[in-house]
Amino acid sequence: MQFIYILTPFIAWVVAGGLKFLINSVKAKELAWKQMGYGGLPSTHTTIVTAGAAMVALREGVESSAFLVALTLAFIVVIDAMDLRRKIGKQAAAINKLAEKTDLPELREKMGHSPVEIGAGVVTGTLCAFAIDLVTKL
């Protein structure tokens, strides 16, 4: 296995996290340290799996079995990021409302991603893979 398949998702993770931090900092008009790991644009999960799948497509082809596996994993992660995690966030909000008068710690409510955040993750991951593929072929 080539090292590029490990390196690409890692670089995509760094890029997505950096973009998310910059976007959240601009919105908050201060460094957004407290918002790290709380969803946002782009979806880091989507960026990582898209970058991996795109690199497999670029290096192995879209007809390869490796791409099919990578694409399947990407679909599972995207569905989880957009649907399941959003439902968990709604449950957390309901539990927080029920537990307002207790001393229980508040549950995190912002869990899932919107379709726009998922789309931004797909674009970011794909661009990362194309850029890394281009640079490594120079």
Side-chain angles (χ1 to χ4, degrees), residues 8 12 46-55 58 119-133:
T8 300
T46 303
T47 300
I48 292 167
V49 295
T50 301
M55 184 57 74
L58 291 167
V122 169
V123 171
T124 303
T126 303
L127 290 175
C128 284
F130 273 104
I132 294 165
D133 185 56

Side-chain angles (χ1 to χ4, degrees), residues 29-42:
K29 298 180 182 171
E30 65 181 11
L31 295 179
W33 297 113
K34 292 179 183 177
Q35 294 178 343
M36 290 186 72
Y38 285 90
L41 185 136

Side-chain angles (χ1 to χ4, degrees), residues 40-126:
L41 185 136
S43 163
T44 305
H45 290 86
T46 303
T47 300
I48 292 167
V49 295
T50 301
M55 184 57 74
V56 171
L58 291 167
R59 296 287 173 106
E60 309 290 330
V62 294
E63 294 181 3
S64 70
S65 57
F67 177 68
L68 174 62
V69 172
L71 188 62
T72 301
L73 173 65
F75 276 124
I76 291 168
V77 170
V78 167
I79 289 167
D80 175 65
M82 193 164 55
D83 185 48
L84 179 63
R85 292 177 70 216
R86 184 178 301 238
K87 289 175 182 170
I88 292 169
K90 287 181 179 181
Q91 287 180 341
I95 291 168
N96 286 340
K97 192 169 185 171
L98 290 171
E100 282 177 350
K101 296 178 183 174
T102 68
D103 60 350
L104 295 172
E106 189 173 325
L107 299 174
R108 187 171 112 183
E109 296 177 15
K110 175 69 170 121
M111 297 289 288
H113 288 284
S114 70
V116 171
E117 293 167 341
I118 295 292
V122 169
V123 171
T124 303
T126 303

